[in-house]
Amino acid sequence: MDAVMKGLVLAIGTFATMFWRNLIGIGLSGAIYLRKRSPWPSRATMKIHLARGLLSTAMGFLFFWGLGRVPLAQAIALAFIAPLIALFLASILLKEEIGPRTVAASLVAFAGVLVIFYGQAQADLGRDALIGSLAILVSAVLYALNIIIMRRQALVADPLEITFFQSVIVTFTLGLLIPFAGIDLPGAVHWPWILFAALLAVASMLLLSWAYAR
């Protein structure tokens, strides 16, 4: 999905890519979720959906914006700090036990991320690449929080509900920004890739939601 999204970001921009992908995501997930006629989520569950949807909007925009300015492999490597941060947040917020080996391995992995970031600075890839890397690192911190919310969300809602409401909230949030950001209809050549990106996004959300519940 990251490879497809990078191509789209370079072609039509970050905002348009995210908006159209999530709009199609509403149709894909809603076609199944709404047909089930499940009970409307409780107020407490809707608050979790809203919190994660808003967080995902900022997180996704920063990551994909940075992805358009940083080599793909490097961007993914920098984003690996997210699960490392999430480990410690899980210990604090979810009271999950983390063993000493996990802590040690996380520190080694984090050192690796610092080496990558330092290497980029020395390589002088340009100001855009440096700012893009910073955007990815901020996105990774937000994604760590997202992982914690996802875990709580998966315990109170099924994967279809989570996927549908995330698509709705992200699309609605981006829609509010259209008067300021502006948006155009993508060309015909881009629509198959946007659909493909939406399919991958919906599939990944379903799988992650199912997994985090377990």
Side-chain angles (χ1 to χ4, degrees), residues 31-175:
I32 306 171
Y33 174 70
L34 296 176
R35 184 175 293 181
K36 287 177 58 181
R37 297 186 180 180
S38 303
W40 191 258
S42 67
R43 178 174 292 186
T45 302
M46 279 303 300
K47 285 182 179 179
I48 298 176
H49 290 331
L50 183 61
R52 186 173 170 221
L54 293 174
L55 188 63
S56 294
T57 304
M59 174 198 80
F61 186 87
L62 286 169
F63 179 76
F64 293 126
W65 185 86
L67 195 60
R69 289 157 176 80
V70 175
L72 181 61
Q74 185 172 304
I76 293 172
L78 289 172
F80 276 154
I81 67 165
L84 307 181
I85 298 171
L87 280 175
F88 297 98
L89 289 178
S91 175
I92 297 168
L93 301 176
L94 301 179
K95 309 303 180 185
E96 293 184 358
E97 187 174 343
I98 301 175
R101 289 184 179 181
T102 303
V103 172
S106 298
L107 292 174
V108 171
F110 185 68
V113 171
L114 293 178
V115 169
I116 292 168
F117 193 73
Y118 176 76
Q120 177 185 287
Q122 296 299 305
D124 192 22
L125 296 177
R127 184 171 177 271
D128 277 0
L130 184 61
I131 295 174
S133 294
L134 290 172
I136 290 169
L137 289 173
V138 174
S139 173
V141 174
L142 296 180
Y143 186 54
L145 292 170
N146 188 288
I147 290 172
I148 302 301
I149 296 174
M150 192 190 309
R151 166 66 176 160
R152 289 182 170 174
Q153 189 182 36
L155 296 175
V156 297
D158 66 51
L160 270 174
E161 178 184 313
I162 291 170
T163 303
F164 173 72
F165 280 102
Q166 168 133 336
S167 298
V168 169
I169 293 166
V170 173
T171 304
F172 180 76
T173 304
L174 292 172

